[in-house]
Amino acid sequence: MRTPKAKPRGPVAPRSVLHFQIILLLGIFVAWWGLVKLDIIPQFFFGDPVGVMQRLIKWFVTGSIWTHLINTLIETMLGFVIGTVSGLVCGLWLALNPMLARVFDPFIKAANSMPRLIFAPIFALWFGLGIWSKVALGVTLVFFVVFFNVFQGVREVSPVVLANVRLMGANRRQLMRWVYLPSATSWVFSSLHNAVGLAFVGAVIGEYLGSARGVGYLILQAEGVFDINSVIAGILLLTVFALLLDIVVSRVEVRLLRWQAPVQAQTVQAQTVKTPAGQVQAVQA
Amino acid sequence: MTITMSSTLRPPPSKVAPLAAVELKNVTCQFAGSGGGTYTAVSDVDLRIEDAEFVAVVGPTGCGKSTLLNVASGLLEPSSGDVLVFGKPLSGLNRQSAYLFQADALMPWRTALDNIAAGLLFRNMRKAEAEAQARDWLARVGLRAHADRYPHQMSGGMRKRVALAQALILDPPILLMDEPFSALDIQTRQLMEDELLQLWSVNRKSVIFVTHDLEEAISLADRVVVLAAGPGTRPVAEFNITLPRPREVSEIRMTQEFLELHTAIWQVLKKEVLKSHAHAQG
Ligand SMILES: Nc1ncnc2c1ncn2[C@@H]1O[C@H](COP(=O)(O)OP(=O)(O)OP(=O)(O)O)[C@@H](O)[C@H]1O
Ligand SMILES: [Mg+2]
């Protein structure tokens, strides 16, 4: 579990960070391409970047990818949303009922330590081969991450703030809205970054084990004919979409957690970048 | 002017005594100690705060001042003893009081304005009206321009002022203040003290004002209660402050009467501070 606020802002200006990242990415592709071309690693098992790109382009040009991609994204989103909401509700509920929390404690720990991917075939039996068995898998993965973070978040509420708000006359519902939820939010968001990845895992593994469409299904088909480029193309595609979803989460996080002090307070001066012309330009934080 | 110091702390209960705002009777607070035993922070405290009286409580650090306020606010149930609020035994939270905590107690996820308006909204006031009142209070504590700041964007002194407005906006008959100004610099502090006196003179609440600053205690209060060093603290002396009101804290500190009071109280307090220090050294 990540702790909230774990977002150190280094002294490096954001733009040069981006430069480094792009260079690193290109470097990886060039190294991969070079190693394959020089036959240091076998192309049969590792594919090659150019072939992967061609495959991706073909998928999008013919439009054959859309049905798979949309299917996977729907499963992921459903797993993500249902898992998050149920984790949030259960986490709040149990955290505010210590008695219940104690009763449920061993059960929750047991359920969490179970290797839940094993349930994929069972879910296929229960929910069929459509999207719902994949959603169910995603939910079981996402739920616990969110649940434990919310639970922790509620426990971490500052007792002084809580006492103060209670003395100001807040009732239970108001306490929830004014204290518990906002206090848990930072914990929820730190868990959501993990949850995005897990929702994808649930969807793709579910598809991999039995389905008629989806990116996981595509990868399985490609593996069946040793089409390694398609496998890698599928994985890359999933990665990109997981990243995009993570960016969306980060955006929402920034909006909702405006009240949080950055780990290291920064002045406006520190957030400026010197442009080559020597002018100082403010950068949007 | 006379310095009255009573060693038996409470006047004998007269039959027609008006209801005290807060009355602690035989209050004892024990905490679980570190080594499995119990630590008696407060023992057999009798304390009476009259309606519209300003009482300052001083005592060595760690003696149990915050503990007493927690008891008076209903946040902490004493191990034994009774708490009466306007004559009624206190059960649960003290709804007649507002509490300014020693530690930061603002909601970090709400702006200054929202923090101040919160109590009114809890009382189901309409949002527009609550915000209008909150703005008014924001101006009164000198933060008109900072309505939209979050606590982390304010200085310690600004946060204290928001907390003061947050407490006073509810207009409670009892005000519990735990070293509210100790984090402020001298100048701001005197401004705030004057401000507090001014607000109090307009609308006399019963105040328990905990502080470790004797000058502050004398310049603000009607009565100064000195607590003994812990463990098992209890009031050892109390002094009626007969300085005339209205007072201006920076000026009143120069007067002869003030100095005499200060000397007299300090003699008592110093003994307790030294005891506390010796105790802490083991
Ligand atoms: N919840 C608690 N558990 C155990 N001990 C406690 C607890 N609260 C207070 N104490 C102890 O009771 C004593 C009195 O604490 P209190 O906070 O009331 O002191 P104080 O007079 O307010 O000190 P200061 O001036 O430093 O704020 C201290 O020795 C403290 O260690
Ligand atoms: Mg204290």
Side-chain angles (χ1 to χ4, degrees):
Chain A
M1 255 176 275
R2 289 201 294 185
T3 51
K5 297 186 180 181
K7 234 182 359 178
R9 297 191 189 166
V12 192
R15 209 175 297 174
S16 61
V17 170
L18 188 63
H19 288 162
F20 280 125
Q21 286 167 336
I22 291 171
I23 290 169
L24 187 60
L25 187 67
L26 288 179
I28 291 171
F29 276 102
V30 169
W32 175 19
W33 181 79
L35 287 172
V36 170
K37 277 286 165 264
L38 296 174
D39 257 338
I40 297 171
I41 54 175
Q43 184 169 1
F44 184 73
F45 295 123
F46 289 87
D48 83 299
V50 178
V52 169
M53 279 304 147
Q54 282 166 347
R55 191 62 35 92
L56 277 175
I57 290 166
K58 200 181 108 201
W59 280 348
F60 280 98
V61 169
T62 61
S64 65
I65 191 68
W66 289 116
T67 161
H68 299 293
L69 196 53
I70 287 171
N71 193 63
T72 303
L73 285 181
I74 287 176
E75 289 160 2
T76 302
M77 291 307 291
L78 282 174
F80 179 68
V81 170
I82 296 174
T84 301
V85 171
S86 56
L88 188 68
V89 171
C90 290
L92 282 173
W93 187 48
L94 280 197
L96 297 178
N97 292 284
M99 178 63 200
L100 273 184
R102 229 173 300 157
V103 172
F104 276 102
D105 182 64
F107 295 95
I108 290 166
K109 290 225 175 86
N112 184 42
S113 52
M114 245 184 300
R116 270 155 283 143
L117 289 182
I118 295 301
F119 281 105
I122 302 178
F123 285 150
L125 288 178
W126 289 353
F127 301 108
L129 290 178
I131 65 168
W132 291 108
S133 56
K134 287 81 183 173
V135 173
L137 195 60
V139 168
T140 58
L141 294 175
V142 169
F143 173 84
F144 286 97
V145 186
V146 176
F147 172 85
F148 283 113
N149 272 278
V150 172
F151 194 75
Q152 190 65 23
V154 171
R155 297 225 157 160
E156 299 274 314
V157 169
S158 150
V160 184
V161 173
L162 190 61
N164 190 29
V165 176
R166 282 176 60 211
L167 275 175
M168 283 195 283
N171 60 29
R172 267 183 82 89
R173 221 188 64 242
Q174 289 161 334
L175 275 183
M176 180 67 80
R177 207 180 123 216
W178 286 74
V179 181
Y180 290 119
L181 269 178
S183 168
T185 315
S186 57
W187 290 81
V188 172
F189 273 103
S190 63
S191 68
L192 288 192
H193 293 284
N194 290 338
V196 167
L198 289 174
F200 264 106
V201 169
V204 174
I205 297 284
E207 288 166 0
Y208 197 82
L209 289 178
S211 66
R213 64 172 76 83
V215 179
Y217 165 82
L218 209 63
I219 292 174
L220 183 68
Q221 298 296 79
E223 274 179 358
V225 295
F226 293 102
D227 177 5
I228 195 72
N229 280 343
S230 289
V231 174
I232 294 175
I235 293 171
L236 277 182
L237 201 56
L238 288 177
T239 311
V240 168
F241 273 90
L243 271 179
L244 286 180
L245 204 51
D246 195 72
I247 290 172
V248 172
V249 169
S250 296
R251 280 281 157 85
V252 180
E253 182 178 14
V254 168
R255 293 204 102 207
L256 286 184
L257 296 184
R258 246 177 328 168
W259 55 270
Q260 256 186 359
V263 176
Q264 214 183 342
Q266 282 190 342
T267 58
V268 175
Q269 191 68 59
Q271 284 180 7
T272 57
V273 186
K274 288 212 167 54
T275 55
Q279 303 153 309
V280 177
Q281 198 186 5
V283 172
Q284 280 288 337
Chain B
M1 188 210 62
T2 51
I3 296 174
T4 53
M5 173 179 165
S6 44
S7 46
T8 57
L9 290 159
R10 254 155 28 89
S14 74
K15 295 210 176 73
V16 284
L19 287 181
V22 181
E23 192 172 4
L24 306 184
K25 284 182 169 170
N26 266 322
V27 165
T28 299
C29 294
Q30 292 181 315
F31 294 110
S34 44
T38 58
Y39 178 84
T40 307
V42 172
S43 122
D44 279 331
V45 168
D46 288 310
L47 194 62
R48 194 182 150 93
I49 287 86
E50 305 300 336
D51 194 12
E53 189 187 20
F54 197 128
V55 174
V57 176
V58 293
T61 178
C63 71
K65 304 183 292 295
S66 299
T67 305
L68 282 180
L69 283 194
N70 286 341
V71 168
S73 68
L75 285 172
L76 183 70
E77 204 183 332
S79 315
S80 66
D82 296 309
V83 185
L84 301 182
V85 178
F86 291 110
K88 293 205 188 67
L90 177 65
S91 68
L93 294 178
N94 185 348
R95 297 281 179 207
Q96 316 251 40
S97 72
Y99 192 163
L100 241 86
F101 289 83
Q102 185 171 6
D104 254 339
L106 297 178
M107 290 172 274
W109 40 83
R110 294 283 180 158
T111 59
L113 188 73
D114 284 351
N115 263 292
I116 297 174
L120 296 177
L121 295 174
F122 297 155
R123 282 161 176 68
N124 295 323
M125 185 182 277
R126 278 183 35 248
K127 195 170 158 72
E129 192 180 339
E131 287 195 351
Q133 285 198 26
R135 268 183 210 287
D136 187 37
W137 270 100
L138 212 49
R140 269 194 245 185
V141 294
L143 293 175
R144 192 196 301 273
H146 302 297
D148 295 328
R149 296 244 189 141
Y150 288 96
H152 83 265
Q153 298 168 319
M154 291 186 280
S155 72
M158 290 156 88
R159 287 200 285 264
K160 277 291 174 215
R161 285 189 263 168
V162 173
L164 184 65
Q166 189 181 51
L168 291 177
I169 198 172
L170 297 176
D171 196 23
I174 302 167
L175 194 53
L176 309 171
M177 307 177 83
D178 196 350
E179 305 192 17
F181 306 142
S182 57
L184 308 183
D185 62 285
I186 298 283
Q187 294 83 1
T188 318
R189 190 167 180 164
Q190 293 195 345
L191 280 179
M192 294 290 297
E193 289 164 0
D194 280 331
E195 183 77 2
L196 177 66
L197 279 184
Q198 209 265 321
L199 292 169
W200 181 74
S201 67
V202 176
N203 182 355
R204 292 214 172 194
K205 302 172 182 313
S206 313
V207 182
I208 310 184
F209 189 101
V210 163
T211 176
H212 55 239
D213 179 348
L214 189 50
E215 294 198 355
E216 186 177 47
I218 299 171
S219 31
L220 295 179
D222 295 323
R223 186 154 57 102
V224 173
V225 176
V226 182
L227 292 182
T233 194
R234 54 154 63 90
V236 281
E238 52 181 56
F239 298 81
N240 287 319
I241 309 298
T242 46
L243 298 171
R245 292 186 190 272
R247 302 176 188 166
E248 176 118 7
V249 290
S250 54
E251 277 167 22
I252 206 151
R253 287 175 193 193
M254 305 300 170
T255 62
Q256 188 60 32
E257 295 156 82
F258 184 94
L259 295 175
E260 281 171 25
L261 276 165
H262 191 279
T263 316
I265 304 176
W266 176 237
Q267 269 174 2
V268 181
L269 182 57
K270 188 176 165 190
K271 254 200 327 229
E272 298 306 326
V273 170
L274 287 177
K275 249 191 260 172
S276 157
H277 200 64
H279 190 80
Q281 297 291 325

